[in-house]
Amino acid sequence: MLAFLRTAPSPLFGPRGLDLDFPLLAGCLALLGLGLVMITSASSEVAAVNAGNALYHMSRHLVYVALGLGAAAVMLLVPVSTWQRLDWMLLLAAFGLLILVLIPGIGREVNGSMRWIGFGAFNVQPSELAKVFVVIYLAGYLVRRQEEVRESFWGFAKPFLVLLPMAFLLLMEPDFGATVVMMGSAVAMLFLGGVGLIRFSLLVAAAVGAVFVLVQTQEYRLQRLITFTDPWADQYGAGYQLTQALIAFGRGEWFGVGLGNSVQKQFYLPEAHTDFVFSVLAEELGMVGALLTILLFAFVGVRALYIGLRAEKARQFFAAYVAWGMAFLWLGQFLINVGVNVGLLPTKGLTLPFLSYGGSSLVVTCASMALLLRIEWESRTVLGSEDVEFSEADFDEAPAAKEVAHGR
């Protein structure tokens, strides 16, 4: 399989060598590097006490980075059209994984949630894969049923026959954050697919109503909603995590206390290297460092949206929808995580893309980055365009030979 992909045109092997979108790649690698530094700092005290090695979490994170970059290299070799052909199979795989994780003995419970499938020393989080597979399936649906989605209420409603059962499985874990990100990305993709404003408004209203009902049906969700509005009212109980995060932001002031000098990471702030790594970053690098990180995330997200726009102009509509969906997944997860850290949203267990510690999230994020890079390369080389016929000879031919052929 890999030998076949090696001979096919790709942004890794060609006359230009490594032919990738440098701005997106540089932004993502910068976030990966920053994440490695912050995880090393944020986890050092906890790792030293719990594992006897201050670099324990850093070592494991390096393994995840290597696995993520390896997955990204493979993704760069796979044509986007392959994912379009496999969209239904990926959707079924997502359902299968989300069902397996709920089965006792297969799913692994951590902090009261069944979100992981254990493979020895490593855990796989099916929800991370499910979000990406849903984006790929929905992109294929929007291409196949474009007119129906735009003109018919039924064409607009049919995807939710798939999305709602998947959301139900996510809520069974429970993973409310992943459900919100997945459904939000799906709604945004449908809007860009041409859904009318009235139907879209009804959908948004229904989504807000559903969130309200879900919050009311579970006591712990209602408690989180009440607590985040005034965490200091119960700062040693339900509001403890948020108050410690806010203390970290306050200690950081403008330029921070210095890398490695965080006090909150010393067993005051729970999950300092996972869900709340941004708080430690703000404490050590200050408001300036936090804002620069936000700008870097914004740049990566906007670049992903631009890649989708470029693919649409090349009439590669499936690729465009996938790029937009990936961008919404990243931006949605980023906004929720940062919102939780600064106290604008109720506390949710949602990692920060590229920065937080977590194997499944990091590997899937790196693979998503590679898919975006592949989409950008195909749209730039007009591979798969409806208006241009492509042959492998176009990529195998040396640049000098092309100049002669074109009479330059």
Side-chain angles (χ1 to χ4, degrees):
M1 179 65 175
L2 289 178
F4 168 74
L5 293 174
R6 170 66 178 81
T7 59
S10 79
L12 289 182
F13 308 105
R16 296 181 181 180
L18 195 64
D19 187 13
L20 299 172
D21 181 60
F22 179 76
L24 178 66
L25 180 63
C28 292
L29 292 180
L31 288 172
L32 277 175
L34 179 62
L36 178 62
V37 171
M38 293 314 306
I39 286 167
T40 304
S41 176
S43 66
S44 58
E45 300 294 334
V46 175
V49 173
N50 294 340
N53 177 11
L55 301 180
Y56 172 78
H57 291 295
M58 186 207 75
S59 304
R60 288 176 63 89
H61 191 72
L62 277 174
V63 173
Y64 296 142
V65 170
L67 290 173
L69 294 178
V74 174
M75 289 289 287
L76 285 170
L77 299 176
V78 181
V80 176
S81 59
T82 301
W83 302 113
Q84 187 172 6
R85 290 195 301 270
L86 296 176
D87 60 352
W88 268 102
M89 295 180 63
L90 294 175
L91 183 68
L92 293 176
F95 271 109
L97 289 171
L98 291 178
I99 292 171
L100 283 175
V101 78
L102 297 175
I103 299 176
I106 298 178
R108 182 173 293 180
E109 184 175 348
V110 179
N111 295 330
S113 298
M114 295 279 287
R115 300 181 186 177
W116 294 268
I117 297 177
F119 292 94
F122 297 95
N123 293 326
V124 175
Q125 193 168 357
S127 61
E128 295 293 337
L129 288 169
K131 289 184 292 188
V132 175
F133 291 169
V134 163
V135 166
I136 293 174
Y137 158 75
L138 192 55
Y141 176 83
L142 289 171
V143 171
R144 291 190 303 270
R145 305 287 184 179
Q146 189 175 54
E147 292 302 320
E148 190 178 358
V149 168
R150 292 179 177 179
E151 299 176 2
S152 164
F153 183 83
W154 177 237
F156 159 71
K158 276 197 290 188
F160 291 95
L161 297 178
V162 172
L163 294 173
L164 291 177
M166 186 166 290
F168 175 76
L169 290 173
L170 287 170
L171 292 173
M172 289 286 290
E173 297 181 3
D175 196 343
F176 187 68
T179 307
V180 171
V181 171
M182 182 192 73
M183 296 300 287
S185 300
V187 169
M189 290 175 68
L190 285 169
F191 179 73
L192 291 176
V195 172
L197 186 59
I198 295 177
R199 282 176 288 161
F200 181 76
S201 301
L202 291 174
L203 176 61
V204 171
V208 172
V211 170
F212 178 78
V213 171
L214 289 172
V215 168
Q216 295 291 328
T217 54
Q218 292 290 339
E219 180 64 28
Y220 80 94
R221 293 191 188 120
L222 182 60
Q223 185 61 39
R224 283 183 176 181
L225 185 62
I226 295 172
T227 301
F228 104 94
T229 58
D230 186 13
W232 304 101
D234 189 15
Q235 63 178 356
Y236 298 109
Y240 178 78
Q241 197 168 25
L242 180 53
T243 55
Q244 297 303 314
L246 294 176
I247 289 172
F249 278 94
R251 293 194 73 255
E253 298 184 352
W254 284 103
F255 298 102
V257 297
L259 190 63
N261 295 327
S262 168
V263 171
Q264 294 306 106
K265 69 181 182 183
Q266 298 178 12
F267 296 93
Y268 291 103
L269 179 61
E271 308 296 339
H273 60 295
T274 55
D275 302 340
F276 282 83
V277 69
F278 189 75
S279 297
V280 178
L281 183 150
E283 183 182 3
E284 296 189 347
L285 304 183
M287 181 63 71
V288 173
L291 289 177
L292 289 175
T293 303
I294 290 173
L295 287 175
L296 187 56
F297 263 111
F299 169 77
V300 168
V302 171
R303 188 68 186 181
L305 292 172
Y306 170 76
I307 288 173
L309 179 62
R310 189 168 184 171
E312 184 188 37
K313 289 181 178 179
R315 301 186 64 78
Q316 300 174 12
F317 298 112
F318 173 79
Y321 290 131
V322 170
W324 289 329
M326 295 299 176
F328 291 132
L329 285 180
W330 286 1
L331 291 172
Q333 198 157 326
F334 162 72
L335 290 173
I336 291 175
N337 182 278
V338 173
V340 166
N341 275 252
V342 300
L344 292 177
L345 294 172
T347 303
K348 293 305 306 170
L350 208 58
T351 57
L352 189 60
F354 294 107
L355 259 73
S356 291
Y357 177 83
S360 298
S361 175
L362 187 65
V363 172
V364 171
T365 301
C366 289
S368 302
M369 172 193 71
L371 182 53
L372 284 167
L373 291 171
R374 175 80 194 198
I375 289 171
E376 189 277 335
W377 178 78
E378 289 194 10
S379 64
R380 178 161 41 86
T381 56
V382 215
L383 174 62
S385 172
E386 294 181 0
D387 300 329
V388 179
E389 292 187 2
F390 165 81
S391 66
E392 292 189 14
D394 294 330
F395 289 85
D396 296 335
E397 191 176 11
K402 286 189 176 183
E403 292 180 4
V404 172
H406 289 285
R408 295 179 184 171

